[in-house]
Amino acid sequence: MVSKKKSSSIDVKILEHELVPKHVIVDIDEGIKILKQYGIKPEQLPWLRASDPVARAIGAKPGDIVKIVRKSPTGGEVIVYRYVVPG
Amino acid sequence: MDPKLGAIEPGQTCPICGNSIRACPGHFGHIELALPVVNVLFVKNIYELLRATCNKCGRIKIAPQDAERYIRYLKRLKDRYPYLARRFSEYVKKQAIKASKCPHCGAEQPKIKLEKPTTFVEYYEERKAMIRLNPLIIRSRLERIPNEDLEILGYDSKDSRPEWMVFTVLPVPPTSIRPSILIETGIRSEDDLTHKLVDIIRTNERLREHIVSGAPQIIIDDLWELLQYHVTTYLDNEVPGLPPAKHRSGRPLKTLVQRLKGKEGRFRGNLSGKRVDYSARTVISPDPYLSINEVGIPIDVAKTLTVPERVTDLNIDELRRHILNGPEKWPGANYIVTQDGRRIDLRYVKDRKSIAESLAPGYIVERHLKDGDIVIFNRQPSLHRMSMMGHVVKVLPGRTFRLHLAVCPPYNADFDGDEMNLHVPQTEEARAEARYLLKVQYNILTPRYGGIIIGGIQDYISGAYMLTIKSTLLTREEVMELLASSGIVKEPLEPAILSPKRLWIGKQIVSMFLPEDFDYQGRANISSGPLKCEDIECFWDSFVLVRKGKLLLGVIDKKIIGAEQQESLLYWLAKEYGIEFTTKFIDHIFRMFIKILEKRGFTLKLDDVAIDMATKSNMYSLLNESFKRVEELVQKYVEGTLEVVPGRSLEESLEIKILEVLAEARDRAGEEAVSNLNPFNHAFIMARTGARGNVLNLTQMAATLGQMTVRGERIWRGYMGRTLPHFKKNDLGPIARGFVVNSFFNGLSVTEMFMHAAGGREGLVDTAVRTSQSGYMQRRLINALQDLYVEYDYTVRDSTGSIIQFIYGEDGADPSKTPYTTIINVDRIVGKVIGWGR
Ligand SMILES: [Mg+2]
Ligand SMILES: [Zn+2]
Ligand SMILES: [Zn+2]
């Protein structure tokens, strides 16, 4: 299968770029709470590839839920979630 | 035709199902092919499978232990991520194709190539040999692939064994799918599919005979190839690399794929979109005396379109009158449906009186369309939801649909021959929806950005301006006439001027239509350039101020009552006094704006764009000055002393600089000419108020057309070194490269006319290309987004309930209910509460 590449120094640096919003892996309890709040299965969240540069940089594994806090021109600060999938 | 394919004549009984033509669905037959042929629609899959599996043992070219792991992984993926499972299969397939040696039996694997459209060839590199794979070989190889291996490759062996991608038997569709047509002369014309089937049968028979008689292999191969061609074109007659099968007349045949594909195909032409009953289409024309909610319908149309109305005690007398009028006389009725579902066609009823008397509650009368009915009105292209709106019927004499001018913007309609469609909803639910959701008044605010989309255009704006300028003074009679035209019966206010004559100003009249507690302030369209005003200290009357329902300052123009304007007076009326009020406001006051133009006359004449000699000579000296500068630039270029624009070549730098100089020249000449125009000149008024045209149009009419361009460059194509034989070779001067000195008033010279046409053509080509491109883009967007919806928790979901957006628009706001880009307009609230200008 896909061989895991060693994370390079670039992976860490991208987190500091101003256009990369804050990504946090949420813990299992909060994850369950989020799924309950929306009444969905984890796959029904938008997906984030495990190979995504930011996912690799924060060490997200398939099955994790990532919380992203970003700025929006209409809504100020918005919180969105991504479900990490293999690939 | 074999009767076993199904009943096709009236009165015929089907030998298979025993039904008549009405109920027999048709039955398939089959052709047993003498030799198998490849199904073109699956060559891609066959190609993949042949390469991914061993040509000896038929196993997938993946080591057994890996295959086992993959299968377990794939099974887990399939449950949770079907999409990823598909991608994984693709990945495994690629691995298998790469292998040059079978890990199961160790056989060396040759390279397989696909020679379009249906031929497969094996290359043995070391032996330099090349073997054509015939369908028999292909089929036997596909048969060898075991079910487990197919699963890894993403095939479901239960429903689709790969050898089924090679035909041995061809299904023959029933005749009801390919009916023959009887032409008047009595000659039968067969369907394209039937023609193709005949070809297949003929070739197949010849092939069989040759095989039986033991003909040489070459002949058999030729016929086999021919059979493959016929079967291929029977399925798809637009396969790349094959000449399409043609009719005797040279017309390409329409075979199976052609029936389904494309805009006129089964899906887009007959299933997603179809022709409907209870609809009408005709030319549109304007009628300013209708309400914006109404549509004028010709009597002829009203007599054909019907509304089914159920008879009750309350409407029985009225419906009886309709029946007595019959189908010919409006308002009549065309059909009656009795309680037991019998349809009576009133065209063939001799005694309508007795039918009318026998009418009882529970019957349904399909009566003519009449005033007050609701219909759906539409103009293509239907780009947004305002392209289909509900209108209230008003039956009128004439042969065109009539509509109010203020609803032209949402439909993007004009009256240069536009046609529109009309649909009559046939159920109570549909009518309720149309009346309470789709009606024009509910679409005054667009859901796109919350702005007003129905409002003043063209003459309404000129009229409003003429009424509200300071110089318009009206006598009592004139005021009364204006008010009467708008349908208002009210005593006018105290006149603004009492002596020597009682005179009213237009602003007073407008105030009579505004709510008593309405406040508004904003800049008018004319507030630009020398007439610019930022606040109420305005000499030019270009700042509009409304306090307590009185228009105190400013002229009314496009920015105040125009369609598609942000935060206009009309917008705040709609927001704060509601849709009903705004509808009435538009219906009434707009008629008055037209009336004032009718009274004083408003037209554009040649003199409006004529300029005097002094201005003309000023203008020409400005142009000459610029021409000199161009000459200098060219001189510098020739000498090589021209400054180069960073990132551009010398030639490009020259062109950029020349374009700059000439654009400025046109603007300055335009300014000179326009500033010389009379401010009450009608052409000028229209441009300034935003009613029609702009300063550039005026410039081009009065001063100069300026530089003509093609693809943003000065015109240079044509002969060697020059555009036209009228010029010297390599002349880089303005005239030789498409600068038009003359105005439309002056008239263009021969060479200027040519340059202008070259520039104009580009515009036409651009619009033609752009519309088709953006149309396709929009189609794809709509297909991608059509099932998304906002859930009660404000999340945006797709049809499976998956989340697309966590809060709609990331602020949960409905754009049609919010002022432009913000949820609330704080300034206006503050102004309303604690007073303006603080
Ligand atoms: Mg038109
Ligand atoms: Zn039948
Ligand atoms: Zn093998």
Side-chain angles (χ1 to χ4, degrees), chain B residues 6-7 14 16-17 24-27:
Chain B
C14 174
I16 303 292
C17 64
C24 172
H27 310 281

Side-chain angles (χ1 to χ4, degrees), chain A residues 1-2 38 40 42-47 49 70 72 74-75 78-83 85-86, chain B residues 69-70 73 77 80-81 83-84 87-88 91 793 795 797 800-804 806 809-811:
Chain A
M1 241 207 337
V2 195
Y38 292 112
I40 52 172
E43 309 87 271
Q44 290 179 299
L45 286 170
W47 291 358
R49 290 280 185 79
R70 63 174 180 222
S72 145
T74 51
V78 281
I79 298 169
V80 298
Y81 301 97
R82 294 285 117 111
Y83 182 54
V85 297
Chain B
R69 223 179 60 234
Y70 288 167
Y73 187 62
L77 276 182
R80 307 201 72 175
Y81 319 101
Y83 170 74
L84 285 181
R87 281 179 53 100
F88 183 64
Y91 166 77
D793 62 1
T795 55
R797 311 273 185 130
T800 67
S802 295
I803 291 179
I804 304 299
F806 284 86
E810 299 192 329
D811 59 2

Side-chain angles (χ1 to χ4, degrees), chain B residues 483-495:
Chain B
L483 289 177
S485 73
S486 68
I488 295 279
V489 185
K490 226 186 207 177
E491 188 65 24
L493 312 149
E494 268 302 289

Side-chain angles (χ1 to χ4, degrees), chain B residues 697-733:
Chain B
N697 296 144
L698 285 181
T699 302
Q700 292 200 326
M701 288 189 281
T704 171
L705 261 67
Q707 180 66 51
M708 300 294 114
T709 57
V710 170
R711 298 189 187 171
E713 290 172 346
R714 298 202 295 161
I715 294 165
W716 56 270
R717 252 171 255 266
Y719 300 94
M720 219 184 280
R722 53 182 170 174
T723 45
L724 285 172
H726 305 68
F727 304 112
K728 292 214 175 80
K729 275 192 181 176
N730 299 317
D731 184 353
L732 292 175

Side-chain angles (χ1 to χ4, degrees), chain B residues 762-792:
Chain B
E762 190 191 34
L764 293 184
V765 172
D766 270 14
T767 35
V769 171
R770 250 205 318 273
T771 44
S772 67
Q773 276 184 349
S774 62
Y776 184 44
M777 275 195 244
Q778 166 142 8
R779 199 185 137 70
R780 288 184 317 210
L781 259 183
I782 288 172
N783 284 334
L785 301 178
Q786 62 180 355
D787 293 327
L788 304 188
Y789 66 99
V790 180
E791 188 51 272
Y792 286 109

Side-chain angles (χ1 to χ4, degrees), chain B residues 240-342:
Chain B
L242 262 197
K246 290 194 171 132
H247 206 253
R248 264 191 309 256
S249 62
R251 170 182 64 85
L253 295 174
K254 255 189 129 178
T255 52
L256 288 172
V257 166
Q258 278 68 47
R259 281 192 177 200
L260 308 178
K261 228 174 59 184
K263 200 163 174 184
E264 246 108 81
R266 199 87 329 137
F267 293 101
R268 280 176 71 186
N270 302 111
L271 294 162
S272 300
K274 41 170 84 81
R275 293 176 172 271
V276 293
D277 287 339
Y278 306 105
S279 61
R281 177 185 176 93
T282 184
V283 176
I284 53 166
S285 46
D287 189 340
Y289 291 101
L290 290 174
S291 159
I292 56 167
N293 277 320
E294 284 177 322
V295 58
I297 291 179
I299 293 175
D300 286 322
V301 170
K303 286 196 293 196
T304 309
L305 297 177
T306 57
V307 177
E309 192 167 331
R310 176 157 251 120
V311 179
T312 65
D313 288 335
L314 298 169
N315 64 9
I316 193 162
D317 293 333
E318 168 129 42
L319 288 175
R320 279 201 173 115
R321 278 200 294 280
H322 279 93
I323 292 166
L324 286 177
N325 278 337
E328 308 288 344
K329 191 176 157 204
W330 184 83
N334 292 355
Y335 291 94
I336 300 171
V337 184
T338 61
Q339 271 152 321
D340 47 351
R342 214 154 44 83

